[in-house]
Structure formats: C-alpha cells, structure tokens
Amino acid sequence: MAIRASPVAGLSLLPTPPSSSNSSNQLVMLRKPLKTSFFNGGGISYLKLGSLIHQRVRLHRCLSHKKKIKTTQSVAAAVPPSSIGNADYRKKLSESYGFTQIGEPLPDNVTLKDIVETLPKKVFEIDDVKAWKTILISVTSYALGIFMISKSPWYLLPLAWAWTGTAITGFFVIGHDCAHKSFSKNKLVEDIIGTLAFMPLIYPYEPWRFKHDRHHAKTNMLVEDTAWQPVWKEEFDSVPALRKAIIFGYGPFRTWMSIAHWVMWHFDLNKFRPNELKRVKISLSCVFAFIAVGWPLIIWKTGLVGWVKFWLMPWLGYHFWMSTFTMVHHTAPHIPFKTSDEWNAAKAQLNGTVHCNYPSWIEILCHDINVHIPHHISPRIPSYNLRAAHKSLQENWGKYLNEANWNWRLMKTIMTVCHVYSEEQNYVGFDEIAPSVSQPITFLKKVMPNSA
C-alpha cells in the first residue's frame, strides 16, 4: 500500500486504498515530475505591485489555461483518482484535515437539476416576516456592539470588536440574500436593502452581485471562478520580488485576504460588461457617499481614535469572517478545481462545497451563511430556510456531503497546504515549491494548534 504523506505538520501519514497489485504497508516517498496547470489566485494585487499582477492576470487569461509546466519536486505520492471512493481512506482524510465527513464522489450521471428536485418546495418560499427579522437581529446586535465599544475598558475592547464585527457580517448576509433575489418578493426593495446593508462595509452592492453570480455559475472552475482560487505557479515563479507577499497573503494573512479581493474585484470598471456599468456606477456612488459623509461624522463626534474604535476595528472583524467563511466553503486538499471542459456543475456544488458548524452565536448573527451546501445547490433559497434544505440534502444525498465543525486543524490544513494549484494533487504547499522563502508557512505549522 502506497502512503501519502499528510501535508500538515504533526498529523499522521495517510494510506491510499490497497490495490490488487500491491498490498504491502511500506512507506513510499516518490521523487517524480509534477505536472501542473496554474493561475493567479485573485487578491495579491492589494499586497504589493498591484498593477503588475493585474497586467499579468490579463495576459495569462489570454493564454490557454491548460498549458503544462513541468517542475521536479520531492513530493508525496499523488492520490489516485479512485482513492476518494474508498470509505476507510475518506475517514482517515477527514481526521487528518479536520472534517467530520468527506463525501464520496457523486456519480457522473447525477445532474444539479436532480438534486434540486429532491428539495422540498417550501425551502424556496420567501417569508417577509422572517426576512425582516434578520434585519432586526443585525441592527440590534450591531447597536449592542457599538454600546459595548463605547463602555468597554481597553482590555475588553477586543471582545466588543469581535461581537460588532460578527454583527455587521450579518449585514453582508442580508445584502447577499438580496443579491440572490431571496430576501423579498419586491425586487426594488431587495436592491435598496442590499445597497444599504453593504454601505457601512464599503462594499458596492451591484459590482459584488455581478461577480458573485459568476462564482455560483462557475464554482471551482479554473480561471472563471471569481471567488478565491489557488495560486498559479507560473505567476509565483515569474516575479521573485512578489513571492514573500504571496506567501504571507495565502498563509499568515489569509484571514484578511478578502480585503485584497474586495479591492481587486469591485472598483475597476473595466471588469464589468457595458450593460452592467450603469448599476455599478450607482453602487460605487453610494459607497463613496458613505465615505464622504459617514467617516467625517464619526471623526467629528469621536475623533480619529473613535473612527478606529467604532468603524475600522469592527470592519476588520467582518473581513476576518468574510475571509474565513470563504476559505472554508470551498477550500480543502481533496476539493479539486477543474478546467471548463472537465467541470461538472453537480459535483462542484455538492462535492465542492463544505458545510461547517460554528458556535451558535456566530450562526445566529451571520444568519446561517455557513449552511452553505444548499445555498450552492440553489442560491434562491433564503438564509432562514437553509437549515431545512440542508436536512433534506442529508436525507437524500448525505453520503456525498463534506461536513466539518470549525476547528484549528481545519484552518491549519487550509493555511499551510492549500496554496499552489496542481492538476494531479489539487494543491501543493509553498514549502514544497519554494522552501527557501516559505518560513511563514513552516512557522504556521509549528505554532498553529492541531486540535479538532
């Protein structure tokens, strides 16, 4: 039996399923050519030399994304495509990666329509009372957070910021539902609520909506997915001066990388179609109006330190959750990215999405956004119906689901392994590609808890 080395420091080696030709229990480390197809992972531009990265991304997207680059690295044995179908192997992967369950592969003949049709019709129903209840929860929890910040001594401020940052993440989820047309039966109301919910976050509603719709249409598709993607090794190798910035961005700073993604994707008019520009400009005007009016008011009433206390720190807390949720939803060593000709919608949405349980107070303030698999099966399901939809998926498709309870091992796996795209292994860590400059990753492997 071949052994695949666990990519997380301190975790046990994982066996691949036994084959008929080799059932021994030897540890085999292979030195072999690694065939790879790489692309830029969105967001590095915020860290350093942004314009250069933008230019290179445009160049690479004009090239064939199937171009192969061969490098020789000392790596663990690649997992055979059939390995994930072995129940014992999946159980070991689950324990190693910090999951409670890694789903078995979805059969090729199952379509997304097949899955949607098993969901109860009631989970698609919009309930205005429940929708406005989410607003009440978010406004109340945010007001409580501001009160806590105003009254807390300095040593309790981090707790107040954590609460308030989580509360305004709820604003994002409300705007998120509006963008998917799952908040209200009145579409004008949805656009107004969505714009208002996003304004304190300095998020332009329409630009985000257009890009997010493409994420749902092309989840985990190479190049085309507009959410986070692995790093393209060609990009990583081409600009040595940027290597450290990229490593820090996908390693220690990854829990705030949504800031980079926010800057890169939502303010550049060149990234939108001509028929989208009018709505994009309206959203940008609303965001800049909030900056022009809201920030001076905060500073006038509380001073520059008050702006940091009452706006900046909760905003950073929001981006912590934005980054963390985004990472966990679609990132794991066993979840592949596929080229457009190999991509399968049902597999990408069911097998390529992760359900993760967080502490109850986070789930309540964030309106169950982490009940994420049904949301990818159909974005038209309102947030308050996601749990009922997930229960139905568990009953009908449970063995195919990826599920986890939030834990340090899960985060450690993502932050120290899921870096550079590999066609054969899904991901290769920076410390395998460039060990001489990957001290931030080796540091994380040493200091991050391994508890699940």
Side-chain angles (χ1 to χ4, degrees), residues 290-397:
F290 180 88
I291 293 173
V293 177
W295 284 6
L297 281 175
I298 296 171
I299 295 171
W300 177 51
K301 289 291 186 180
T302 65
L304 189 58
V305 172
W307 177 83
V308 172
K309 282 177 58 177
F310 290 99
W311 186 83
L312 181 61
M313 297 308 293
W315 184 78
L316 292 175
Y318 152 70
H319 272 288
F320 170 84
W321 288 125
M322 186 74 166
S323 301
T324 300
F325 293 166
T326 303
M327 278 192 288
V328 172
H329 287 163
H330 303 286
T331 309
H334 70 283
I335 295 178
F337 276 75
K338 295 290 186 180
T339 56
S340 56
D341 59 329
E342 297 177 328
W343 186 80
N344 177 288
K347 290 182 178 181
Q349 310 297 10
L350 194 73
N351 277 153
T353 306
V354 176
H355 170 83
C356 187
N357 295 307
Y358 287 79
S360 296
W361 69 278
I362 297 174
E363 301 279 21
I364 292 170
L365 295 188
C366 297
H367 310 304
D368 289 333
I369 189 60
N370 294 295
V371 186
H372 208 64
I373 299 176
H375 174 64
H376 266 266
I377 297 303
S378 176
R380 302 304 291 269
I381 300 173
S383 60
Y384 45 80
N385 289 336
L386 288 173
R387 290 200 177 275
H390 186 73
K391 183 178 179 181
S392 174
L393 291 176
Q394 286 178 317
E395 292 170 354
N396 294 292
W397 307 92

Side-chain angles (χ1 to χ4, degrees), residues 151-219:
K151 299 299 182 181
S152 295
W154 66 268
Y155 52 85
L156 291 180
L157 277 175
L159 295 177
W161 289 330
W163 173 274
T164 311
T166 308
I168 61 173
T169 305
F171 287 173
F172 172 82
V173 179
I174 291 168
H176 173 267
D177 267 21
C178 291
H180 283 300
K181 307 307 176 187
S182 60
F183 179 84
S184 171
K185 297 172 185 176
N186 186 315
K187 303 312 171 189
L188 177 60
V189 168
E190 283 185 320
D191 288 341
I192 293 172
I193 295 296
T195 299
L196 292 174
F198 273 27
M199 279 174 60
L201 308 173
I202 316 300
Y203 243 96
Y205 171 74
E206 294 288 358
W208 178 85
R209 180 171 72 86
F210 292 136
K211 294 303 180 186
H212 189 67
D213 283 348
R214 294 176 206 176
H215 161 62
H216 274 271
K218 303 177 185 295
T219 302

